[in-house]
Amino acid sequence: MFESEVDKVYLSTPTKIAILDHERKRTFVLQKDGLGDAVVWNPWDKKAKALPDFGDDEYKHVLCVETACVEKPITLKPGEEWKGRQEISAVPSSYCSGQLNTEKYFKAIRRSVPRHLSLQILY
């Protein structure tokens, strides 16, 4: 279980990130393009109360993983365009077997992720 607020930025992450839900035997795969970084967060109790889409105790069961451009922010001049893409899909947990490197990224957060979830990087 989470024990406090989590808000971490991970720079230069691969294009695929997987969240394994061991309890429900499923994997969420986040695939990104044009977004070099990832943010992992949970607002915990005080900040969650300020979010209208959170129930009173839902923060205890939330792991938010989203893509971002933190290391190399996108700045557009008038008339310029930029495209980024994030796709989230649910697949059977066996999808990730043998493709994971858990040490390179997200090592520091493992203690904060709910026990039935694992955050993994796909190569």
Side-chain angles (χ1 to χ4, degrees):
M1 294 293 277
F2 289 112
E3 296 178 6
S4 64
E5 177 184 352
V6 175
D7 192 2
K8 296 189 182 268
V9 175
Y10 296 89
L11 304 176
S12 301
T13 56
T15 58
K16 285 186 180 180
I17 299 170
I19 300 130
L20 282 66
D21 184 343
H22 302 289
E23 193 172 275
R24 295 188 179 151
K25 295 181 172 60
R26 63 183 175 181
T27 299
F28 296 97
V29 177
L30 187 144
Q31 192 163 353
K32 60 193 180 89
D33 184 37
L35 300 149
D37 310 313
V39 179
V40 176
W41 66 276
N42 177 298
W44 206 240
D45 58 349
K46 291 179 185 174
K47 289 186 178 179
K49 289 178 182 172
L51 299 171
D53 54 347
F54 269 81
D56 288 345
D57 289 331
E58 288 180 345
Y59 67 91
K60 295 177 183 176
H61 309 285
V62 170
L63 170 68
C64 181
V65 180
E66 55 192 11
T67 58
C69 290
V70 176
E71 185 175 32
K72 297 176 184 174
I74 306 300
T75 303
L76 299 176
K77 295 177 184 169
E80 290 183 327
E81 292 184 12
W82 172 84
K83 290 183 182 181
R85 182 180 67 86
Q86 172 178 297
E87 179 182 310
I88 301 171
S89 56
V91 297
S93 284
S94 61
Y95 168 81
C96 295
S97 297
Q99 300 179 48
L100 303 175
N101 179 339
T102 60
E103 300 302 317
K104 189 169 182 183
Y105 295 95
F106 303 111
K107 187 175 183 179
I109 195 169
R110 266 190 269 154
R111 284 175 265 124
S112 302
V113 175
R115 292 174 201 203
H116 68 281
L117 296 176
S118 295
L119 188 58
Q120 311 289 326
I121 301 297
L122 297 173
Y123 289 93

